């Protein structure tokens, strides 16, 4: 039997999603909790990777068991009692054994959250940036992302991917009194892509690059010409889509 696990986490204390030999990842915490409750070694496969300090409001992973889970709510209750307070399991969903949480996802959506005022309640949960930004120009540049499909300029350079193509279906900044939030949705994302995009778009907003400059960054297919990554604390994975959920 294959099961999907739906969960969320505050990523501040973790070296990203993936388990590592010398650092703590969210994957390791969940695998150890599942193994303890089920009394079996468990390996889980995540739908998406997140970097150190990045958060997830909705994340999925799958795992396999020989036997059926009899009481989903009881298992969720036990897991949430074992794992730290900065991780929460929401649902366990039985699926067909050939469905992979990573490859079956139809889209992912991220938000990058910027607070314009220092706010102690958003510490580690938003990037505090006090700057005069031209959001109209940032949105003009962001709209270009929907017209391209190769984003090598915004990918970490040492990464094992076959290509740098992504289909972006949403890219917009929403401005409010205290917050500025970048919404971006695509079928897939490259490593470091959203933070690199945000960092480069902020340069447009600050007047350091023009919209035409931003387009040239995309066309260059060279990470060195894009802006610096925005800080991790502002980034949230907010949605992973599947046709059957």
């Amino acid at each position: 039997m294959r099961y999907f696990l739906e969960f969320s986490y505050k990523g501040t204390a973790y070296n990203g999603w993936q388990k590592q030999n010398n650092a703590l990842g969210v994957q390791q915490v969940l695998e150890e909790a599942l193994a303890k409750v089920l009394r079996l070694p468990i390996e889980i496969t995540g739908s998406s990777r997140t970097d150190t300090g990045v958060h997830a409001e909705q994340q999925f992973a799958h795992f396999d068991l020989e036997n059926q889970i009899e009481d989903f709510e009881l298992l969720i209750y036990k897991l949430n009692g074992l794992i730290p307070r900065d991780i929460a399991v929401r649902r366990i969903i039985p699926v067909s054994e050939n469905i992979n949480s990573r490859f079956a996802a139809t889209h992912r959506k991220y938000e990058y959250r910027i607070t314009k005022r220092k706010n102690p309640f958003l510490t580690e949960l938003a990037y505090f940036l006090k700057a005069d930004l031209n959001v109209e120009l940032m949105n003009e540049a962001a709209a270009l992302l929907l017209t391209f499909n190769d984003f090598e300029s915004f990918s970490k350079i040492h990464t094992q991917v076959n290509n740098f193509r992504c289909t972006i279906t949403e890219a917009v900044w929403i401005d409010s009194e205290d917050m500025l939030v970048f919404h971006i949705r695509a079928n897939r994302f490259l490593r470091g892509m959203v933070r690199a995009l945000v960092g480069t778009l902020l340069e447009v907003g600050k007047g350091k690059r023009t919209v035409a400059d931003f387009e040239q960054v995309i066309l260059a297919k060279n990470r060195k010409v894009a802006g610096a990554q925005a800080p991790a604390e502002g980034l949230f994975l907010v949605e992973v889509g599947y046709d059957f959920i």
Side-chain angles (χ1 to χ4, degrees), residues 160-192:
Q160 297 176 338
V161 294
N162 295 325
N163 63 75
F164 298 94
R165 292 190 296 274
C166 309
T167 302
I168 297 176
T169 54
E170 179 185 13
V172 63
W173 290 91
I174 304 296
D175 195 11
S176 62
E177 183 178 354
D178 294 329
M179 296 288 294
L180 177 62
V181 181
F182 182 52
H183 299 255
I184 184 165
R185 171 176 159 150
N187 64 326
R188 68 187 284 245
F189 287 91
L190 307 168
R191 286 193 63 200

Side-chain angles (χ1 to χ4, degrees), residues 125-187:
L125 296 172
Y127 172 37
F128 171 47
L129 178 64
K130 190 170 178 61
D132 291 326
L133 298 171
N134 189 323
V135 179
E136 185 176 345
L137 284 180
M138 290 164 65
N139 269 326
E140 190 178 331
L144 291 171
L145 297 171
L146 278 65
T147 67
F148 290 91
N149 63 12
D150 190 312
F151 298 99
E152 185 173 358
S153 289
F154 305 101
S155 172
K156 289 185 177 179
I157 55 175
H158 299 297
T159 183
Q160 297 176 338
V161 294
N162 295 325
N163 63 75
F164 298 94
R165 292 190 296 274
C166 309
T167 302
I168 297 176
T169 54
E170 179 185 13
V172 63
W173 290 91
I174 304 296
D175 195 11
S176 62
E177 183 178 354
D178 294 329
M179 296 288 294
L180 177 62
V181 181
F182 182 52
H183 299 255
I184 184 165
R185 171 176 159 150
N187 64 326

Side-chain angles (χ1 to χ4, degrees), residues 59-77:
Q59 170 72 294
F60 287 91
H62 74 258
F63 64 95
D64 296 324
L65 287 176
E66 288 189 11
N67 300 319
Q68 272 191 308
I69 296 173
E70 299 297 334
D71 191 331
F72 293 111
E73 292 303 318
L74 179 60
L75 178 55
I76 292 170
Y77 175 79

